[in-house]
Amino acid sequence: TDVQRDAVSKSIARWRGEQYDHDLQRMAYAALDCCPCCERGQEQRRAMFCSQLVAQVLIDAGALPAPPDGAPANEYLPRDFSRLWGGTIENASLRKLLGPSHLIRRPKNSWTGMYLR
């Protein structure tokens, strides 16, 4: 809907320019859903890895449930948003919530997003 698109746009504007999180240990914790000791709550960090940013935008827009009803953004992996089986709780919940994923083809490969600056 237009309301959801507006909410996504506002969230993107809010998080644009945030630092990329290079901490591999934090990224690994997102993949380790094998036991409760590996689960991490929402951290008060500004740096994010790619799938964490995507999840946070979708949480802000109301497309994904926010904690405590859903996983924190730092628990999502790139494969959770793909068409591949991810094997995580987040992947399973996304498949239920969003339904089947679809490949989007761009009309040309020259888009850069530089006009957003």
Side-chain angles (χ1 to χ4, degrees):
T1 68
D2 288 339
V3 173
Q4 290 170 321
R5 277 189 282 280
D6 186 50
V8 167
S9 295
K10 286 178 181 175
S11 182
I12 289 170
R14 174 183 175 196
W15 297 107
R16 187 179 337 169
E18 291 301 321
Q19 291 183 338
Y20 182 78
D21 191 349
H22 294 274
D23 189 321
L24 296 178
Q25 182 179 12
R26 262 192 298 281
M27 290 180 204
Y29 277 124
L32 297 173
D33 283 341
C34 57
C35 62
C37 65
C38 295
E39 294 293 322
R40 296 288 185 237
Q42 185 69 32
E43 298 174 331
Q44 298 302 315
R45 295 180 48 83
R46 294 298 291 188
M48 295 188 213
F49 48 95
C50 58
S51 54
Q52 181 179 3
L53 178 60
V54 170
Q56 189 61 59
V57 166
L58 293 175
I59 289 169
D60 290 350
L64 289 179
D69 298 321
N74 61 334
E75 281 290 315
Y76 287 90
L77 299 169
R79 71 177 180 217
D80 294 332
F81 296 99
S82 77
R83 300 197 303 175
L84 301 174
W85 178 78
T88 64
I89 295 166
E90 294 76 29
N91 180 267
S93 66
L94 278 176
R95 286 179 179 275
K96 280 187 211 172
L97 183 68
L98 302 177
S101 59
H102 303 277
L103 183 63
I104 298 172
R105 293 183 185 264
R106 294 187 291 189
K108 55 185 177 178
N109 287 324
S110 62
W111 181 83
T112 64
M114 294 303 289
Y115 71 92
L116 294 173
R117 294 182 179 209

